[in-house]
Amino acid sequence: HHSIVDGESGTEIMAEAETDISVAAAIDEFGDAVGNDVDEVALARVLKTEIATEFAADAEDLSAYYAFEEGTEGEDQLVTGGYMNLAEGVLEGAELRLGHPVSMVRLSQGEVELVGPDGASILADRVVITVPLGVLQSENLTFEPELPATHVEAIASLGMGLLDKLWLRFDKPFWTEPAAIWTLGDPGDSPFGDWYNLAAINGSPILLGLMGGASARAWSAKSEPELVAAAMLDLEQFVNAGW
Ligand SMILES: Cc1cc2nc3c(=O)[nH]c(=O)nc-3n(C[C@H](O)[C@H](O)[C@H](O)COP(=O)(O)OP(=O)(O)OC[C@H]3O[C@@H](n4cnc5c(N)ncnc54)[C@H](O)[C@@H]3O)c2cc1C
């Protein structure tokens, strides 16, 4: 199963499949083909930490064809001192305008016109549009002429996942474990996937819990005390293990 979820044999199996199915269905259908005995606890852990918190969606909602395509290269980074540092570093002196919503993108005589809700517009030679999927799916941003049918279809058929984070700051660390990322061997009913140990990264007494997919949606309705209580149940297991 592990190789179905993230290894090459899973990709090979799907390359021969005629239609796309969900990752969950692929595991059900082809899991035995890999020939390994299934460790249910290990599978639950992979589904939680390698799937739900990695892709913000559960195996049921992910495409076995495309789910594991990497969108970016390189390691995860922790941005410190605010995301503006990142924007300014990348922009290298270009003008950054915040609070300038665009409601229409219009091609006019070889140029692109960006029109705001107040009707004011900006002209550009070229435009790179990186608004989130939800904005593209809404009526708040229109294109003239309309986007190509393939784009319209892709926008309509994609879905957005959910990844939530719970940050817990303690007076001082109660743990000594130097590992930066913690996962429970058996996730059980825990809503959390991974825990990030910021003490190991920048010395602050902070633990960050991640939850993704259906578990994040269900827990987004809970109160802060309920979340903290669930977090403490997780953390107790690390403490009991001597971390
Ligand atoms: C809670 C949370 C925690 C995360 N933590 C991490 C992390 O630790 N590390 C990591 O690598 N990733 C993290 N991510 C993911 C990361 O934030 C996103 O992948 C990334 O920000 C996506 O960038 P983007 O430019 O595609 O979209 P966004 O950052 O959403 O940018 C889209 C921009 O478009 C603007 N916009 C929308 N509509 C219009 C309009 N009509 N006109 C003009 N502008 C418009 C928005 O204001 C926004 O500035 C996290 C995400 C969430 C939700």
Side-chain angles (χ1 to χ4, degrees), residues 77-78 83 100-103 130-132 135 140-141 163-165:
Q77 304 285 335
L78 187 75
Y83 276 97
H100 275 71
V102 172
S103 47
T130 65
V131 296
V135 175
N140 298 332
L141 181 61
L163 176 74
D164 274 339
K165 293 184 166 180

Side-chain angles (χ1 to χ4, degrees), residues 46-58:
V46 169
L47 291 175
K48 183 144 257 183
T49 65
E50 304 289 332
I51 306 276
T53 52
E54 188 65 27
F55 298 99
D58 296 288

Side-chain angles (χ1 to χ4, degrees), residues 13 21 39 46-47 49 52 81 96 104-105 110 158 173 186 214 242:
I13 287 167
I21 52 177
D39 177 341
V46 169
L47 291 175
T49 65
L96 175 63
M104 193 202 292
V105 180
L158 281 167
D186 179 357

Side-chain angles (χ1 to χ4, degrees), residues 75-79 83 86 97-104 115 117 130-133 135-136 138 140-141 160 162-165 167 196 208 210:
E75 295 292 304
D76 286 347
Q77 304 285 335
L78 187 75
V79 178
Y83 276 97
L86 186 66
R97 291 193 205 172
L98 297 173
H100 275 71
V102 172
S103 47
M104 193 202 292
V115 187
T130 65
V131 296
L133 181 65
V135 175
L136 290 172
S138 75
N140 298 332
L141 181 61
M160 207 63 167
L162 182 64
L163 176 74
D164 274 339
K165 293 184 166 180
W167 301 80
Y196 284 73
L208 164 63
L210 261 62

Side-chain angles (χ1 to χ4, degrees), residues 221-238:
K222 305 253 182 174
S223 69
E224 201 170 297
E226 285 174 303
L227 279 162
V228 171
M232 289 307 161
L233 280 180
D234 263 38
L235 297 178
E236 216 173 88
Q237 296 187 57
F238 294 111

Side-chain angles (χ1 to χ4, degrees), residues 2-31:
H2 198 271
S3 45
I4 275 278
V5 170
D6 61 12
E8 273 181 17
S9 58
T11 312
E12 280 164 20
I13 287 167
M14 282 314 296
E16 285 170 17
E18 279 178 12
T19 51
D20 196 10
I21 52 177
S22 74
V23 170
I27 291 172
D28 277 350
E29 199 165 322
F30 301 116

